[in-house]
Amino acid sequence: MPIDATQPYDDENIFAKILRGEIPSSKVYEDEWAFAFEDINPQAEIHTLVIPKGRYVSWDDFSAKASAEEIAGFVRAVGHVAREKGLVEPGYRLLANVGQHGHQEVPHLHVHLFGGHPLGPMLMRR
Ligand code: 5GP
């Protein structure tokens, strides 16, 4: 079920538990600002999730409230993971779902990193 992206941050969401190490994940990268791990239900050959360490529900919350340092750290981490995975030359796709229409299911900001093969057109036709 997609979430309401205007809700307050819930410390019991699944990605908060992954960040605290309460639930296992397949870690790809970690630094002061971000944590990256493999999606449990991959939609492409490479499907990695990158999340900020701060308590942000969505891209909206993050872009409105995060500090310049947090934003820079997170964006750099996404780029770092893509480079580490060798995705720059073949190309890749980033996606951040927000709220109901975006079909966001987990209420902690995450950027999906897809790659490993041609990904096709961006959106299904309506
Ligand atoms: P959203 O629809 O919120 O943008 O995407 C949530 C993503 O989180 C989905 O691709 C889903 O497969 C992934 N996911 C949900 N629960 C877990 C989990 O416990 N571990 C991992 N690694 N990924 C999860």
Side-chain angles (χ1 to χ4, degrees):
M1 276 289 288
I3 61 130
D4 171 1
T6 66
Q7 70 187 46
Y9 187 81
D10 171 12
D11 283 300
E12 295 309 309
N13 81 75
I14 196 105
F15 292 173
K17 291 179 179 176
I18 284 176
L19 269 178
R20 292 195 296 265
E22 294 167 12
I23 288 180
S25 67
S26 177
K27 177 171 145 180
V28 169
Y29 176 73
E30 181 173 15
D31 64 20
E32 184 180 354
W33 307 110
F35 187 80
F37 54 103
E38 304 299 5
D39 196 288
I40 204 166
N41 183 25
Q43 305 294 312
E45 195 172 302
I46 294 173
H47 184 175
T48 303
L49 300 170
V50 190
I51 66 177
K53 288 205 167 163
R55 300 166 71 257
Y56 299 101
V57 173
S58 70
W59 185 268
D60 177 69
D61 192 21
F62 186 68
S63 60
K65 298 188 193 140
S67 69
E69 268 191 317
E70 285 177 293
I71 292 171
F74 179 63
V75 171
R76 286 194 190 283
V78 174
H80 178 84
V81 171
R83 283 190 295 279
E84 286 286 295
K85 286 188 169 280
L87 290 176
V88 178
E89 190 274 322
Y92 61 94
R93 178 172 295 159
L94 300 177
L95 176 70
N97 295 320
V98 180
Q100 298 275 329
H101 283 189
H103 212 277
Q104 180 182 0
E105 294 193 315
V106 179
H108 181 115
L109 169 62
H110 46 286
V111 166
H112 298 258
L113 169 61
F114 299 106
H117 50 87
L119 295 164
M122 188 166 67
L123 285 177
M124 203 166 56
R125 301 248 179 262
R126 290 184 71 192

